[in-house]
Amino acid sequence: MFFRPALLAAALAAATGSADAAPRPARATPPPAAKPAPPAPVKPGPPGPSDWRTPDPQDILVIDTNKGRVIVELIPEIAPNHVQRIRDLAHENFYDRLTFFRVIENFMDQTGDPQNTGVGGSAKPNLAAEFTFRRGPDTGMVLASDQGVAETGFIKSMPVMSQSSMLMPMTADGKVSAWGLYCPGVAAMARDNDPASGNSQFFLMRAGYPSLERRYTAWGRVLAGQDVVRAIKTGEPVAEPQDRMEKVRLLSDMPAAERPQVRVVDPRSAWFKSEIEWVRMAKSADFTPCDVEIPVEVK
């Protein structure tokens, strides 16, 4: 077959145009470099000799129950009047033989009523509420997390939350409001509908319960015997026979031969700060001071 020149030129032009119009292969874009994974949190080793503190014997409440011994640290920095009331009643042997009359699983154990019903109290006047306290630069709070408008941390064994310390220079007293966090083991004063009705009844937390914060006065924390707290017979009210406190004494009131030796890791120590960081990394956004366990030794 023969092509005329004009037709041949047109055919060649068409063929050339088709080749030019063909899509060119796309260049492969290399994937972005993977970001290195953050280092896995490493739990610190055991505390060293300098990481421990020995609490004041006047701030240790020894509760001997029919289920075992509970040791509570009193924290006067957060509720001085309630701490003094507990000291006074323990010194008078007021709490001996009183029962746990209201105990709710995953909540708390209530006691401290001479009538063992929830309606009684001591002959002493009721106490004004200490739901919050004023935290200053010298309060001794060890920071666990800074949430911008609020900070969490520890005062001795007590987990606390406060307004940001950045607000201190702006307040009349150079302090900010703070309050205890209701983690497991926290000890607090019971009351009725009147905020200023705390007297002698108190409760020990079996589990965390944040809704109690700034509504009830927290005054201490269980150092040893949380297993005993959780072993107390439950009921609302508790059926007979009720578990009871056999003896409740301040460590300072006990004969030297009977005194347990108590020491607890100091939250100001390098070890504790490392422990906080490890737990915070492990828990990430779910972190609260309730997640941090404070080592205690009782001999």
Side-chain angles (χ1 to χ4, degrees), residues 35-281:
K35 294 182 180 180
V42 178
K43 183 172 177 58
S50 64
D51 295 318
W52 298 87
R53 65 182 175 90
T54 300
D56 187 331
Q58 293 189 83
D59 290 337
I60 295 295
L61 190 69
V62 180
I63 305 173
D64 286 314
T65 79
N66 62 302
K67 289 288 182 66
R69 173 170 283 183
V70 179
I71 296 178
V72 179
E73 182 174 26
L74 311 179
I75 315 291
E77 290 86 346
I78 72 170
N81 296 327
H82 284 71
V83 164
Q84 190 57 50
R85 173 60 55 86
I86 296 295
R87 286 179 182 146
D88 291 343
L89 293 176
H91 185 69
E92 297 168 8
N93 303 315
F94 175 87
Y95 289 121
D96 293 0
R97 303 292 295 176
L98 300 189
T99 70
F100 293 93
F101 56 85
R102 180 172 178 255
V103 180
I104 303 174
E105 190 62 88
N106 297 319
F107 186 23
M108 58 87 222
D109 303 352
Q110 187 170 341
T111 185
D113 176 8
Q115 299 183 37
N116 296 325
T117 61
V119 299
S122 75
K124 299 180 186 299
N126 289 344
L127 295 165
E130 292 178 301
F131 300 160
T132 64
F133 63 96
R134 300 295 286 171
R135 171 200 168 201
D138 58 348
T139 304
M141 174 175 162
V142 175
L143 194 66
S145 68
D146 186 346
Q147 303 170 357
V149 297
E151 297 170 348
T152 67
F154 291 85
I155 296 177
K156 296 179 179 174
S157 57
M158 176 64 71
V160 297
M161 177 176 281
S162 84
Q163 296 173 309
S164 172
S165 56
M166 300 295 289
L167 298 175
M168 289 181 183
M170 306 176 195
T171 62
D173 61 357
K175 299 179 181 181
V176 294
S177 291
W179 52 94
L181 298 178
Y182 275 77
C183 301
V186 164
M189 215 67 162
R191 64 173 179 85
D192 59 27
N193 292 333
D194 180 359
S197 58
N199 186 286
S200 66
Q201 295 184 40
F202 66 88
F203 56 92
L204 305 174
M205 299 304 298
R206 296 170 76 98
Y209 216 84
S211 65
L212 300 184
E213 292 162 14
R214 291 182 284 182
R215 296 177 55 215
Y216 291 82
T217 298
W219 50 260
R221 181 88 185 272
V222 171
L223 295 182
Q226 184 63 18
D227 57 330
V228 176
V229 172
R230 294 193 175 111
I232 298 297
K233 183 179 176 181
T234 59
E236 194 179 4
V238 179
E240 296 291 346
Q242 297 175 348
D243 289 327
R244 63 188 177 276
M245 301 184 290
E246 303 285 8
K247 287 185 178 181
V248 180
R249 296 168 289 178
L250 295 173
L251 189 64
S252 56
D253 289 342
M254 297 176 67
E258 297 180 21
R259 287 187 189 182
Q261 298 177 34
V262 181
R263 70 172 187 166
V264 56
V265 161
D266 192 332
R268 299 168 297 180
S269 68
W271 182 92
F272 193 73
K273 292 174 182 177
S274 296
E275 179 74 2
I276 289 175
E277 184 62 22
W278 176 75
V279 176
R280 187 168 56 210
M281 289 179 66

